[in-house]
Every structure is written in structure tokens, then in C-alpha cells.
Amino acid sequence: AYPAMKHEVVCINRTRRRIPTERIQYDIRAAVAEVRRKRWTGRLPPVITVVFLPDRESALLNRRFRKKSRAANVLSFHFGREGEVIVAPATISREAHSRGHPFGEELRRMVIHGLIHLTGQHHESSRRAGARFNRMAFHLERHLRIQLAGRRGVEPIRSGRA
């Protein structure tokens, strides 16, 4: 486990879309503090980079690392003392629209989803892991006051689902 420290959070936007990077950095720092307070994990890396990519680049990474032929809404990579959350805003925008959620709130939710993966939690591994992942996500979304259209439109993550 890493000693308690202030996490460095870097946002890189490689899309043409305007991204609220300051808000995303705040959310990551607040979520990291809450994860530590709840003692959910000690594995969060001290440097977290959030990279916003076009769908085409997200699809290339998703194909390479997950053998899926479409853009991923979010991917997470843990490299020792560094963690990277890859986000595809165009994909998230389409998903937000189909769920009736504001884009900014869905974007925040998916960045937190990627952060939870950096803690070592994976909803794909089992129903039990999926339930734990969902509890963490729900708690952090509530803690960060992420507002999603009555919350009924938010599907819990199921095991085996990408």
C-alpha cells in the first residue's frame, strides 16, 4: 500500500470536445480521499492520468487489450505507481443521450467507474465482485453528488458485461 499522500491528477484532452477537466480532477481527488477513508483499498496509484480520446483511438485500445471491436466508454490501466483512465467522450455522450442523462454527469460517473477499476475491483469477474463494484460506484456517485435523471436510468453493472 502507498503511504497517505496527495494524489497527482492529470487530465489530457485529445478530442475536440470541451471537457470540464478541473471538475474531473476535483472528483478524482475527492473520490480517492473517500476510498482511503472507507479503507476500500490501498492500491490506488499516486499518479492518476485521465486521457480523453476520440472513439477511433479508444476502439484501437479496446481491440488490443480486450479483444472487443468497438470503442470502450472507459478503460483503466494500472502501471505500478501510475494509473491511467482512458475515456471516450463521444461514446459516453451517446450512452448519456440514450439513458436521458446529462453528458457532464455521465462523464463524471464513467471517470469514477474507471477509478474504481484502478482500485483492483472488476465487475466482470463474478456476481459478488459486480455487487461490490456497484456499491462502491453508488457510494462515490452519491458522495460526489453526481446527478443522474432520477437514478432509475442507471443500470447496475453486471458480471460478464463490458
Side-chain angles (χ1 to χ4, degrees):
Y2 301 117
M5 65 178 75
K6 186 173 182 177
H7 280 70
E8 180 181 351
V9 179
V10 178
C11 287
I12 300 168
N13 184 5
R14 295 182 51 193
T15 71
R16 294 180 185 185
R17 183 181 289 268
R18 191 167 187 200
I19 303 293
T21 55
E22 288 180 11
R23 180 61 200 229
I24 297 296
Q25 288 173 315
Y26 172 84
D27 283 349
I28 294 277
R29 286 188 182 101
V32 165
E34 184 66 3
V35 164
R36 287 195 178 280
R37 187 185 75 76
K38 297 285 277 183
R39 296 188 175 160
W40 282 334
T41 184
R43 294 183 43 197
L44 276 170
V47 178
I48 298 170
T49 303
V50 182
V51 183
F52 300 93
L53 292 179
D55 276 357
R56 193 175 91 243
E57 291 181 51
S58 173
L60 290 171
L61 291 171
N62 206 22
R63 187 174 301 117
R64 180 174 179 193
F65 294 102
R66 297 180 63 228
K67 311 297 185 240
K68 306 238 177 183
S69 62
R70 66 188 185 316
N73 49 18
V74 66
L75 294 167
S76 298
F77 301 96
H78 201 287
F79 307 106
R81 296 183 57 79
E82 295 183 27
E84 195 165 89
V85 178
I86 306 293
V87 181
T91 297
I92 291 170
S93 178
R94 287 190 301 276
E95 293 173 353
H97 179 74
S98 72
R99 293 179 177 137
H101 296 163
F103 166 72
E105 299 300 291
E106 188 72 11
L107 180 69
R108 293 174 64 210
R109 181 174 90 91
M110 294 313 300
V111 169
I112 295 306
H113 181 104
L115 179 73
I116 294 170
H117 278 300
L118 289 181
T119 70
Q121 296 298 312
H122 298 284
H123 52 82
E124 304 94 348
S125 55
S126 70
R127 284 183 192 255
R128 185 175 179 187
R132 178 171 171 80
F133 191 100
N134 287 336
R135 283 192 304 274
M136 290 174 73
F138 183 79
H139 178 83
L140 290 173
E141 288 164 18
R142 198 174 59 208
H143 180 74
L144 296 170
R145 294 186 171 93
I146 295 175
Q147 302 294 314
L148 296 170
R151 301 220 46 99
R152 283 192 294 263
V154 180
E155 292 182 23
I157 304 296
R158 290 177 177 74
S159 61
R161 213 173 136 185

